[in-house]
Amino acid sequence: MSDRPSAPQARFTVVTLGVADVGRGAAFYAALGFTRKLRVTGDNVAFFETGGSVLALYPWDSLARDAALPEAPRPAAFRGTTLAWNCRSEAEVDDVLAFALAHGASLLKAAHRTDYGGYSGYFADPDGHPWEVVVAPGIEVGDDRRVHLAD
């Protein structure tokens, strides 16, 4: 008999972004079409359904303290993480990028054909979090908004 505990079921449930202003961030993500839930939290934290996981917005300094990390200096360079918005077509990639820009995002990289056979561009939300908008081989988006990966 092993003394090791059994492995828990792996799951990815929430991405929490540190933001300067929860209200401003919530307005941006609502404008992109994400559905806000648990509104009882007001501007303390904002939760959005994304089609399989949750996007949460939390004050930058509070999130840093909660994770026992320094809140400053805030990085102006790449943070080592991107979020992705997978699409069904190149036209949808173009539409999503234009829509995000119209609602306050900034363009990081225009949509282009990738070396792996996809089509991709990048925008940053008002707090500088980078999003890739992409259609990629082997990744399909279902009617349920969930991604389905090829074997």
PDB file of all heavy atoms in Angstrom, residues 118-149:
ATOM      1  N   GLY A 118      -2.102  28.811 -39.014  1.00  0.00           N
ATOM      2  CA  GLY A 118      -3.231  29.511 -38.426  1.00  0.00           C
ATOM      3  C   GLY A 118      -3.299  30.953 -38.873  1.00  0.00           C
ATOM      4  O   GLY A 118      -2.627  31.364 -39.830  1.00  0.00           O
ATOM      5  N   TYR A 119      -4.103  31.732 -38.178  1.00  0.00           N
ATOM      6  CA  TYR A 119      -4.280  33.151 -38.444  1.00  0.00           C
ATOM      7  C   TYR A 119      -4.477  33.810 -37.097  1.00  0.00           C
ATOM      8  O   TYR A 119      -5.334  33.390 -36.313  1.00  0.00           O
ATOM      9  CB  TYR A 119      -5.498  33.343 -39.353  1.00  0.00           C
ATOM     10  CG  TYR A 119      -5.729  34.753 -39.820  1.00  0.00           C
ATOM     11  CD1 TYR A 119      -4.902  35.343 -40.773  1.00  0.00           C
ATOM     12  CD2 TYR A 119      -6.803  35.488 -39.333  1.00  0.00           C
ATOM     13  CE1 TYR A 119      -5.137  36.636 -41.228  1.00  0.00           C
ATOM     14  CE2 TYR A 119      -7.054  36.775 -39.793  1.00  0.00           C
ATOM     15  CZ  TYR A 119      -6.208  37.348 -40.737  1.00  0.00           C
ATOM     16  OH  TYR A 119      -6.440  38.622 -41.189  1.00  0.00           O
ATOM     17  N   SER A 120      -3.667  34.827 -36.794  1.00  0.00           N
ATOM     18  CA  SER A 120      -3.615  35.328 -35.437  1.00  0.00           C
ATOM     19  C   SER A 120      -3.277  36.807 -35.384  1.00  0.00           C
ATOM     20  O   SER A 120      -2.543  37.324 -36.232  1.00  0.00           O
ATOM     21  CB  SER A 120      -2.532  34.533 -34.690  1.00  0.00           C
ATOM     22  OG  SER A 120      -2.147  35.155 -33.488  1.00  0.00           O
ATOM     23  N   GLY A 121      -3.789  37.488 -34.367  1.00  0.00           N
ATOM     24  CA  GLY A 121      -3.431  38.856 -34.046  1.00  0.00           C
ATOM     25  C   GLY A 121      -3.537  39.035 -32.540  1.00  0.00           C
ATOM     26  O   GLY A 121      -4.066  38.167 -31.842  1.00  0.00           O
ATOM     27  N   TYR A 122      -3.019  40.150 -32.025  1.00  0.00           N
ATOM     28  CA  TYR A 122      -3.015  40.393 -30.578  1.00  0.00           C
ATOM     29  C   TYR A 122      -3.560  41.773 -30.241  1.00  0.00           C
ATOM     30  O   TYR A 122      -3.249  42.752 -30.921  1.00  0.00           O
ATOM     31  CB  TYR A 122      -1.589  40.327 -30.027  1.00  0.00           C
ATOM     32  CG  TYR A 122      -1.046  38.935 -29.860  1.00  0.00           C
ATOM     33  CD1 TYR A 122      -0.442  38.280 -30.925  1.00  0.00           C
ATOM     34  CD2 TYR A 122      -1.129  38.279 -28.634  1.00  0.00           C
ATOM     35  CE1 TYR A 122       0.087  37.002 -30.768  1.00  0.00           C
ATOM     36  CE2 TYR A 122      -0.612  37.005 -28.479  1.00  0.00           C
ATOM     37  CZ  TYR A 122      -0.006  36.375 -29.538  1.00  0.00           C
ATOM     38  OH  TYR A 122       0.501  35.111 -29.383  1.00  0.00           O
ATOM     39  N   PHE A 123      -4.333  41.840 -29.159  1.00  0.00           N
ATOM     40  CA  PHE A 123      -4.715  43.122 -28.575  1.00  0.00           C
ATOM     41  C   PHE A 123      -4.388  43.095 -27.084  1.00  0.00           C
ATOM     42  O   PHE A 123      -4.179  42.028 -26.501  1.00  0.00           O
ATOM     43  CB  PHE A 123      -6.197  43.456 -28.818  1.00  0.00           C
ATOM     44  CG  PHE A 123      -7.204  42.629 -28.050  1.00  0.00           C
ATOM     45  CD1 PHE A 123      -7.550  42.948 -26.734  1.00  0.00           C
ATOM     46  CD2 PHE A 123      -7.849  41.558 -28.650  1.00  0.00           C
ATOM     47  CE1 PHE A 123      -8.510  42.210 -26.035  1.00  0.00           C
ATOM     48  CE2 PHE A 123      -8.806  40.812 -27.967  1.00  0.00           C
ATOM     49  CZ  PHE A 123      -9.129  41.140 -26.640  1.00  0.00           C
ATOM     50  N   ALA A 124      -4.329  44.270 -26.471  1.00  0.00           N
ATOM     51  CA  ALA A 124      -4.143  44.378 -25.023  1.00  0.00           C
ATOM     52  C   ALA A 124      -5.382  45.031 -24.433  1.00  0.00           C
ATOM     53  O   ALA A 124      -5.931  45.979 -25.008  1.00  0.00           O
ATOM     54  CB  ALA A 124      -2.906  45.210 -24.696  1.00  0.00           C
ATOM     55  N   ASP A 125      -5.825  44.522 -23.287  1.00  0.00           N
ATOM     56  CA  ASP A 125      -6.954  45.138 -22.594  1.00  0.00           C
ATOM     57  C   ASP A 125      -6.485  46.463 -21.965  1.00  0.00           C
ATOM     58  O   ASP A 125      -5.296  46.801 -22.044  1.00  0.00           O
ATOM     59  CB  ASP A 125      -7.569  44.163 -21.590  1.00  0.00           C
ATOM     60  CG  ASP A 125      -6.783  43.969 -20.302  1.00  0.00           C
ATOM     61  OD1 ASP A 125      -5.731  44.621 -20.088  1.00  0.00           O
ATOM     62  OD2 ASP A 125      -7.217  43.151 -19.471  1.00  0.00           O
ATOM     63  N   PRO A 126      -7.373  47.229 -21.342  1.00  0.00           N
ATOM     64  CA  PRO A 126      -6.968  48.524 -20.793  1.00  0.00           C
ATOM     65  C   PRO A 126      -5.858  48.459 -19.739  1.00  0.00           C
ATOM     66  O   PRO A 126      -5.195  49.464 -19.485  1.00  0.00           O
ATOM     67  CB  PRO A 126      -8.261  49.077 -20.201  1.00  0.00           C
ATOM     68  CG  PRO A 126      -9.331  48.475 -21.056  1.00  0.00           C
ATOM     69  CD  PRO A 126      -8.827  47.073 -21.328  1.00  0.00           C
ATOM     70  N   ASP A 127      -5.621  47.295 -19.140  1.00  0.00           N
ATOM     71  CA  ASP A 127      -4.545  47.148 -18.162  1.00  0.00           C
ATOM     72  C   ASP A 127      -3.300  46.510 -18.744  1.00  0.00           C
ATOM     73  O   ASP A 127      -2.369  46.173 -18.023  1.00  0.00           O
ATOM     74  CB  ASP A 127      -5.042  46.361 -16.947  1.00  0.00           C
ATOM     75  CG  ASP A 127      -5.968  47.201 -16.087  1.00  0.00           C
ATOM     76  OD1 ASP A 127      -5.446  48.010 -15.294  1.00  0.00           O
ATOM     77  OD2 ASP A 127      -7.195  47.090 -16.243  1.00  0.00           O
ATOM     78  N   GLY A 128      -3.290  46.310 -20.056  1.00  0.00           N
ATOM     79  CA  GLY A 128      -2.107  45.783 -20.723  1.00  0.00           C
ATOM     80  C   GLY A 128      -2.020  44.275 -20.805  1.00  0.00           C
ATOM     81  O   GLY A 128      -1.015  43.734 -21.260  1.00  0.00           O
ATOM     82  N   HIS A 129      -3.074  43.547 -20.397  1.00  0.00           N
ATOM     83  CA  HIS A 129      -3.060  42.083 -20.501  1.00  0.00           C
ATOM     84  C   HIS A 129      -3.234  41.694 -21.968  1.00  0.00           C
ATOM     85  O   HIS A 129      -4.222  42.073 -22.598  1.00  0.00           O
ATOM     86  CB  HIS A 129      -4.169  41.464 -19.647  1.00  0.00           C
ATOM     87  CG  HIS A 129      -4.034  41.775 -18.194  1.00  0.00           C
ATOM     88  ND1 HIS A 129      -3.061  41.215 -17.401  1.00  0.00           N
ATOM     89  CD2 HIS A 129      -4.739  42.605 -17.391  1.00  0.00           C
ATOM     90  CE1 HIS A 129      -3.179  41.673 -16.171  1.00  0.00           C
ATOM     91  NE2 HIS A 129      -4.179  42.523 -16.138  1.00  0.00           N
ATOM     92  N   PRO A 130      -2.277  40.927 -22.535  1.00  0.00           N
ATOM     93  CA  PRO A 130      -2.348  40.581 -23.955  1.00  0.00           C
ATOM     94  C   PRO A 130      -3.289  39.414 -24.238  1.00  0.00           C
ATOM     95  O   PRO A 130      -3.309  38.428 -23.510  1.00  0.00           O
ATOM     96  CB  PRO A 130      -0.902  40.207 -24.298  1.00  0.00           C
ATOM     97  CG  PRO A 130      -0.308  39.743 -23.010  1.00  0.00           C
ATOM     98  CD  PRO A 130      -1.016  40.501 -21.922  1.00  0.00           C
ATOM     99  N   TRP A 131      -4.058  39.581 -25.294  1.00  0.00           N
ATOM    100  CA  TRP A 131      -4.968  38.558 -25.794  1.00  0.00           C
ATOM    101  C   TRP A 131      -4.570  38.204 -27.224  1.00  0.00           C
ATOM    102  O   TRP A 131      -4.421  39.087 -28.064  1.00  0.00           O
ATOM    103  CB  TRP A 131      -6.396  39.102 -25.835  1.00  0.00           C
ATOM    104  CG  TRP A 131      -7.111  39.104 -24.521  1.00  0.00           C
ATOM    105  CD1 TRP A 131      -6.968  40.002 -23.504  1.00  0.00           C
ATOM    106  CD2 TRP A 131      -8.116  38.189 -24.121  1.00  0.00           C
ATOM    107  NE1 TRP A 131      -7.825  39.685 -22.492  1.00  0.00           N
ATOM    108  CE2 TRP A 131      -8.543  38.580 -22.836  1.00  0.00           C
ATOM    109  CE3 TRP A 131      -8.698  37.077 -24.726  1.00  0.00           C
ATOM    110  CZ2 TRP A 131      -9.527  37.889 -22.138  1.00  0.00           C
ATOM    111  CZ3 TRP A 131      -9.680  36.399 -24.031  1.00  0.00           C
ATOM    112  CH2 TRP A 131     -10.085  36.800 -22.748  1.00  0.00           C
ATOM    113  N   GLU A 132      -4.437  36.921 -27.494  1.00  0.00           N
ATOM    114  CA  GLU A 132      -4.282  36.455 -28.867  1.00  0.00           C
ATOM    115  C   GLU A 132      -5.670  36.116 -29.393  1.00  0.00           C
ATOM    116  O   GLU A 132      -6.442  35.425 -28.728  1.00  0.00           O
ATOM    117  CB  GLU A 132      -3.395  35.217 -28.941  1.00  0.00           C
ATOM    118  CG  GLU A 132      -3.228  34.709 -30.360  1.00  0.00           C
ATOM    119  CD  GLU A 132      -2.439  33.422 -30.471  1.00  0.00           C
ATOM    120  OE1 GLU A 132      -2.395  32.644 -29.491  1.00  0.00           O
ATOM    121  OE2 GLU A 132      -1.872  33.187 -31.553  1.00  0.00           O
ATOM    122  N   VAL A 133      -5.996  36.589 -30.573  1.00  0.00           N
ATOM    123  CA  VAL A 133      -7.235  36.219 -31.260  1.00  0.00           C
ATOM    124  C   VAL A 133      -6.790  35.350 -32.418  1.00  0.00           C
ATOM    125  O   VAL A 133      -5.985  35.771 -33.243  1.00  0.00           O
ATOM    126  CB  VAL A 133      -7.999  37.473 -31.740  1.00  0.00           C
ATOM    127  CG1 VAL A 133      -9.312  37.066 -32.391  1.00  0.00           C
ATOM    128  CG2 VAL A 133      -8.239  38.429 -30.580  1.00  0.00           C
ATOM    129  N   VAL A 134      -7.294  34.095 -32.480  1.00  0.00           N
ATOM    130  CA  VAL A 134      -6.648  33.114 -33.338  1.00  0.00           C
ATOM    131  C   VAL A 134      -7.626  32.065 -33.859  1.00  0.00           C
ATOM    132  O   VAL A 134      -8.582  31.703 -33.177  1.00  0.00           O
ATOM    133  CB  VAL A 134      -5.489  32.420 -32.563  1.00  0.00           C
ATOM    134  CG1 VAL A 134      -5.996  31.710 -31.322  1.00  0.00           C
ATOM    135  CG2 VAL A 134      -4.683  31.495 -33.440  1.00  0.00           C
ATOM    136  N   VAL A 135      -7.361  31.611 -35.068  1.00  0.00           N
ATOM    137  CA  VAL A 135      -7.932  30.373 -35.574  1.00  0.00           C
ATOM    138  C   VAL A 135      -6.718  29.495 -35.847  1.00  0.00           C
ATOM    139  O   VAL A 135      -5.736  29.942 -36.447  1.00  0.00           O
ATOM    140  CB  VAL A 135      -8.824  30.590 -36.824  1.00  0.00           C
ATOM    141  CG1 VAL A 135      -8.076  31.189 -37.979  1.00  0.00           C
ATOM    142  CG2 VAL A 135      -9.488  29.294 -37.238  1.00  0.00           C
ATOM    143  N   ALA A 136      -6.756  28.268 -35.330  1.00  0.00           N
ATOM    144  CA  ALA A 136      -5.577  27.405 -35.405  1.00  0.00           C
ATOM    145  C   ALA A 136      -5.971  25.986 -35.803  1.00  0.00           C
ATOM    146  O   ALA A 136      -7.011  25.486 -35.380  1.00  0.00           O
ATOM    147  CB  ALA A 136      -4.871  27.379 -34.045  1.00  0.00           C
ATOM    148  N   PRO A 137      -5.120  25.336 -36.595  1.00  0.00           N
ATOM    149  CA  PRO A 137      -5.398  23.954 -36.972  1.00  0.00           C
ATOM    150  C   PRO A 137      -5.463  23.055 -35.738  1.00  0.00           C
ATOM    151  O   PRO A 137      -4.670  23.213 -34.806  1.00  0.00           O
ATOM    152  CB  PRO A 137      -4.202  23.568 -37.844  1.00  0.00           C
ATOM    153  CG  PRO A 137      -3.426  24.801 -38.105  1.00  0.00           C
ATOM    154  CD  PRO A 137      -3.854  25.831 -37.120  1.00  0.00           C
ATOM    155  N   GLY A 138      -6.429  22.165 -35.726  1.00  0.00           N
ATOM    156  CA  GLY A 138      -6.553  21.215 -34.624  1.00  0.00           C
ATOM    157  C   GLY A 138      -7.320  21.742 -33.430  1.00  0.00           C
ATOM    158  O   GLY A 138      -7.521  21.022 -32.451  1.00  0.00           O
ATOM    159  N   ILE A 139      -7.754  22.999 -33.484  1.00  0.00           N
ATOM    160  CA  ILE A 139      -8.538  23.585 -32.392  1.00  0.00           C
ATOM    161  C   ILE A 139      -9.839  24.099 -32.974  1.00  0.00           C
ATOM    162  O   ILE A 139      -9.839  25.007 -33.801  1.00  0.00           O
ATOM    163  CB  ILE A 139      -7.780  24.730 -31.694  1.00  0.00           C
ATOM    164  CG1 ILE A 139      -6.447  24.228 -31.138  1.00  0.00           C
ATOM    165  CG2 ILE A 139      -8.642  25.328 -30.588  1.00  0.00           C
ATOM    166  CD1 ILE A 139      -5.597  25.311 -30.509  1.00  0.00           C
ATOM    167  N   GLU A 140     -10.929  23.498 -32.564  1.00  0.00           N
ATOM    168  CA  GLU A 140     -12.248  23.904 -33.034  1.00  0.00           C
ATOM    169  C   GLU A 140     -13.025  24.538 -31.891  1.00  0.00           C
ATOM    170  O   GLU A 140     -12.854  24.159 -30.730  1.00  0.00           O
ATOM    171  CB  GLU A 140     -13.023  22.699 -33.562  1.00  0.00           C
ATOM    172  CG  GLU A 140     -12.421  22.094 -34.807  1.00  0.00           C
ATOM    173  CD  GLU A 140     -13.235  20.914 -35.333  1.00  0.00           C
ATOM    174  OE1 GLU A 140     -14.351  20.662 -34.824  1.00  0.00           O
ATOM    175  OE2 GLU A 140     -12.741  20.243 -36.251  1.00  0.00           O
ATOM    176  N   VAL A 141     -13.877  25.488 -32.232  1.00  0.00           N
ATOM    177  CA  VAL A 141     -14.739  26.125 -31.246  1.00  0.00           C
ATOM    178  C   VAL A 141     -16.155  25.616 -31.483  1.00  0.00           C
ATOM    179  O   VAL A 141     -16.697  25.757 -32.582  1.00  0.00           O
ATOM    180  CB  VAL A 141     -14.687  27.663 -31.367  1.00  0.00           C
ATOM    181  CG1 VAL A 141     -15.600  28.310 -30.334  1.00  0.00           C
ATOM    182  CG2 VAL A 141     -13.253  28.163 -31.211  1.00  0.00           C
ATOM    183  N   GLY A 142     -16.738  25.012 -30.453  1.00  0.00           N
ATOM    184  CA  GLY A 142     -18.081  24.459 -30.570  1.00  0.00           C
ATOM    185  C   GLY A 142     -19.156  25.503 -30.345  1.00  0.00           C
ATOM    186  O   GLY A 142     -18.882  26.635 -29.935  1.00  0.00           O
ATOM    187  N   ASP A 143     -20.398  25.104 -30.600  1.00  0.00           N
ATOM    188  CA  ASP A 143     -21.535  25.995 -30.363  1.00  0.00           C
ATOM    189  C   ASP A 143     -21.643  26.389 -28.895  1.00  0.00           C
ATOM    190  O   ASP A 143     -22.234  27.417 -28.573  1.00  0.00           O
ATOM    191  CB  ASP A 143     -22.840  25.323 -30.809  1.00  0.00           C
ATOM    192  CG  ASP A 143     -22.917  25.176 -32.324  1.00  0.00           C
ATOM    193  OD1 ASP A 143     -22.233  25.946 -33.033  1.00  0.00           O
ATOM    194  OD2 ASP A 143     -23.657  24.283 -32.786  1.00  0.00           O
ATOM    195  N   ASP A 144     -21.042  25.591 -28.015  1.00  0.00           N
ATOM    196  CA  ASP A 144     -21.055  25.868 -26.580  1.00  0.00           C
ATOM    197  C   ASP A 144     -19.948  26.834 -26.163  1.00  0.00           C
ATOM    198  O   ASP A 144     -19.752  27.090 -24.990  1.00  0.00           O
ATOM    199  CB  ASP A 144     -20.928  24.568 -25.787  1.00  0.00           C
ATOM    200  CG  ASP A 144     -19.652  23.798 -26.093  1.00  0.00           C
ATOM    201  OD1 ASP A 144     -18.837  24.262 -26.932  1.00  0.00           O
ATOM    202  OD2 ASP A 144     -19.456  22.728 -25.498  1.00  0.00           O
ATOM    203  N   ARG A 145     -19.201  27.386 -27.133  1.00  0.00           N
ATOM    204  CA  ARG A 145     -18.084  28.313 -26.942  1.00  0.00           C
ATOM    205  C   ARG A 145     -16.850  27.628 -26.352  1.00  0.00           C
ATOM    206  O   ARG A 145     -15.865  28.268 -26.076  1.00  0.00           O
ATOM    207  CB  ARG A 145     -18.456  29.513 -26.058  1.00  0.00           C
ATOM    208  CG  ARG A 145     -19.561  30.351 -26.607  1.00  0.00           C
ATOM    209  CD  ARG A 145     -19.776  31.624 -25.837  1.00  0.00           C
ATOM    210  NE  ARG A 145     -19.829  31.418 -24.409  1.00  0.00           N
ATOM    211  CZ  ARG A 145     -19.707  32.378 -23.510  1.00  0.00           C
ATOM    212  NH1 ARG A 145     -19.523  33.601 -23.902  1.00  0.00           N
ATOM    213  NH2 ARG A 145     -19.777  32.118 -22.227  1.00  0.00           N
ATOM    214  N   ARG A 146     -16.885  26.341 -26.169  1.00  0.00           N
ATOM    215  CA  ARG A 146     -15.736  25.616 -25.637  1.00  0.00           C
ATOM    216  C   ARG A 146     -14.823  25.199 -26.792  1.00  0.00           C
ATOM    217  O   ARG A 146     -15.284  24.952 -27.892  1.00  0.00           O
ATOM    218  CB  ARG A 146     -16.168  24.378 -24.856  1.00  0.00           C
ATOM    219  CG  ARG A 146     -16.966  24.710 -23.621  1.00  0.00           C
ATOM    220  CD  ARG A 146     -17.469  23.426 -22.977  1.00  0.00           C
ATOM    221  NE  ARG A 146     -18.362  23.709 -21.888  1.00  0.00           N
ATOM    222  CZ  ARG A 146     -18.004  23.676 -20.623  1.00  0.00           C
ATOM    223  NH1 ARG A 146     -16.768  23.343 -20.283  1.00  0.00           N
ATOM    224  NH2 ARG A 146     -18.863  23.950 -19.661  1.00  0.00           N
ATOM    225  N   VAL A 147     -13.520  25.108 -26.494  1.00  0.00           N
ATOM    226  CA  VAL A 147     -12.599  24.630 -27.508  1.00  0.00           C
ATOM    227  C   VAL A 147     -12.513  23.117 -27.435  1.00  0.00           C
ATOM    228  O   VAL A 147     -12.629  22.513 -26.366  1.00  0.00           O
ATOM    229  CB  VAL A 147     -11.188  25.249 -27.361  1.00  0.00           C
ATOM    230  CG1 VAL A 147     -11.221  26.740 -27.607  1.00  0.00           C
ATOM    231  CG2 VAL A 147     -10.574  24.954 -26.026  1.00  0.00           C
ATOM    232  N   HIS A 148     -12.344  22.537 -28.593  1.00  0.00           N
ATOM    233  CA  HIS A 148     -12.224  21.091 -28.728  1.00  0.00           C
ATOM    234  C   HIS A 148     -10.919  20.838 -29.468  1.00  0.00           C
ATOM    235  O   HIS A 148     -10.728  21.352 -30.575  1.00  0.00           O
ATOM    236  CB  HIS A 148     -13.429  20.514 -29.472  1.00  0.00           C
ATOM    237  CG  HIS A 148     -14.728  20.879 -28.822  1.00  0.00           C
ATOM    238  ND1 HIS A 148     -15.242  20.201 -27.758  1.00  0.00           N
ATOM    239  CD2 HIS A 148     -15.586  21.902 -29.079  1.00  0.00           C
ATOM    240  CE1 HIS A 148     -16.387  20.757 -27.380  1.00  0.00           C
ATOM    241  NE2 HIS A 148     -16.607  21.797 -28.164  1.00  0.00           N
ATOM    242  N   LEU A 149     -10.042  20.054 -28.877  1.00  0.00           N
ATOM    243  CA  LEU A 149      -8.719  19.790 -29.439  1.00  0.00           C
ATOM    244  C   LEU A 149      -8.713  18.458 -30.168  1.00  0.00           C
ATOM    245  O   LEU A 149      -9.288  17.466 -29.694  1.00  0.00           O
ATOM    246  CB  LEU A 149      -7.674  19.759 -28.323  1.00  0.00           C
ATOM    247  CG  LEU A 149      -7.590  21.010 -27.441  1.00  0.00           C
ATOM    248  CD1 LEU A 149      -6.588  20.806 -26.319  1.00  0.00           C
ATOM    249  CD2 LEU A 149      -7.241  22.216 -28.274  1.00  0.00           C
TER     250      LEU A 149
END
